[in-house]
Amino acid sequence: MRALIAIAVLSAALPAYAKDVVIHAGKLIDGTSKNVRAKVSILIKDERITKVESGFVDPGKADLIDLSSATVLPGLIDTHVHLTLEIDGGNPIVKHVTRTPLNDAFSSVAFARRTLEAGFTSVRDAGADTDLVVAMKNAIDKGLIAGPRMFVSGAPITPTGGHGDAHNGLDPDLTHPRWQENIVDSPEAARRVVRDFKRRGVDQIKIMPSGGVISIGDDPTLQLMADDEIKAVIETAHALNMKVMAHAHGKKAIDRTIELGVDSIEHATYADADSYKLFKKHGAYLVPTMLIAQTVYEVAKTHPERLPPSSAEKALVTAPRITKNVADAYKAGVKIAFGTDQLLVPHGRNAEEFALLVKAGMTPIDAILAATQNASALLGKSADIGSVQSGRYADIIAVSGDPLADINELTRVKFVMKGGEVIKR
């Protein structure tokens, strides 16, 4: 409750959207195919698209938005963000033991607005204080603050000593009630935590079956959650109609978690040809998070003091593998969804991930579809977001140039509409 109040204090009333709007789009990448349509009209009633027609129709009494010289796309979707967090230099251990969720609540208001204004109208939050991120999602939904549609997981579920155990690297006598709520060391504990998080309002669950990079002391190549714990989380979450995302770097953790039914693997650094076969067999998505990999590698080389102890050493070994993994997975036909994990990159720069995907071998249109069609399918929300077609939310962005010729156009979004409301004109 305190976190929600802290967020609301900074907010301003959002303007009401027009009832009827017509957008004239010079070019349209609609998120349903690789085709580009020219001279298209998008008809909007309240917060939803009612029709997409060829040609520039007479708007009649509707408000006209003229994007006839622009390229129009669906609102972008980042399936791996941390909207309440940002590592911005300084001693990470000091921040860990001095900041509270109330501090993060105030910061997150700016993070949410910057992300939305960058053209990302929906995000999947991949780890945060559970009650804070649920309150933030609710505040956005109620119009108290501006931000993208949020699908939230709360605190990532991890074993003792795993990636996400807040006790790692600290005096063993230091503790806090929040630091224990996501720790599971048995199937029974896993089921209890999933049910508790569902009760508290999360949309999905995140697990940490392998060690990580920006964490103290754990090994990213090892599987740290037991199979029965992973299975209990996935089965319980799926029974509650929630999807499960898994942070996994090491091959064993990747392969076993896919076989146990996870919906997406985040990072997948040490995946190989056999792993890609499992991705395809089980229908799991890969969320590469190239932006964080590149950034943490650069920080590890130039300013290792900005990272927790042991993280720089791990980053120098792990991060360079990401590009090759994305290239190999793409060639193998693995489903890829866009995600940045931009803990070390200021919020609002999510679109820098596109150039990295293209550099790894993806075509510009497939990189765009990863952030629209694929991302919405991963979230199970294709009927609402990820495309410009009848019945979907009027989540629409525009750029001046052609992102298929220069993918970096998506870092220069000029127009943003979310749910029929113009955010950036």
Side-chain angles (χ1 to χ4, degrees), residues 191-209:
R191 283 190 284 269
R192 182 193 60 76
V193 172
V194 171
R195 290 166 179 160
D196 175 57
F197 282 12
K198 172 66 173 178
R199 177 176 60 183
R200 289 159 66 181
V202 304
D203 303 294
Q204 76 243 333
I205 296 295
K206 183 182 181 183
I207 56 174
M208 304 292 211

Side-chain angles (χ1 to χ4, degrees), residues 276 322-332 336 359-362:
Y276 306 143
I322 293 287
T323 299
K324 182 180 186 304
N325 175 50
V326 174
D328 291 345
Y330 178 61
K331 291 175 184 175
I336 295 175
K359 183 178 179 180
M362 293 184 70

Side-chain angles (χ1 to χ4, degrees), residues 370-381:
T372 53
Q373 184 182 74
N374 290 6
S376 62
L378 169 57
L379 293 172
K381 298 296 179 181

Side-chain angles (χ1 to χ4, degrees), residues 213-214 291-301 307 311 315 319 344:
V213 176
I214 307 180
L291 187 56
I292 186 64
Q294 173 184 276
T295 306
V296 74
Y297 180 75
E298 293 171 352
V299 171
K301 288 195 301 181
L307 299 172
S311 294
L344 288 163

Side-chain angles (χ1 to χ4, degrees), residues 59 80 141 241 328 333 347:
H80 194 125
D141 288 347
N241 199 31
D328 291 345
H347 291 279

Side-chain angles (χ1 to χ4, degrees), residues 40-52:
V40 177
S41 295
I42 305 166
L43 283 62
I44 298 164
K45 177 73 172 180
D46 295 334
E47 62 183 7
R48 299 262 181 179
I49 298 168
T50 59
K51 190 178 295 185
V52 180

Side-chain angles (χ1 to χ4, degrees), residues 157-160 184-191 194 207-209 223-236 260:
I157 295 175
T158 188
T160 296
V184 300
D185 291 308
S186 69
E188 291 76 17
R191 283 190 284 269
V194 171
I207 56 174
M208 304 292 211
Q223 178 177 327
L224 301 183
M225 284 186 78
D227 285 1
D228 59 356
E229 295 162 353
I230 297 170
K231 182 179 180 181
V233 169
I234 293 171
E235 289 183 346
T236 306
L260 291 168

Side-chain angles (χ1 to χ4, degrees), residues 277-350:
K277 291 176 183 177
L278 290 173
F279 271 101
K280 295 173 71 175
K281 177 181 177 181
H282 293 273
Y285 282 79
L286 167 62
V287 181
T289 65
M290 298 185 73
L291 187 56
I292 186 64
Q294 173 184 276
T295 306
V296 74
Y297 180 75
E298 293 171 352
V299 171
K301 288 195 301 181
T302 59
H303 293 285
E305 73 280 358
R306 288 183 57 194
L307 299 172
S310 79
S311 294
E313 181 180 352
K314 291 187 287 184
L316 293 173
V317 175
T318 303
R321 296 182 61 97
I322 293 287
T323 299
K324 182 180 186 304
N325 175 50
V326 174
D328 291 345
Y330 178 61
K331 291 175 184 175
V334 173
K335 295 186 293 186
I336 295 175
F338 184 102
T340 60
D341 194 16
Q342 55 182 72
L343 283 168
L344 288 163
V345 180
H347 291 279
R349 289 171 53 184
N350 313 57

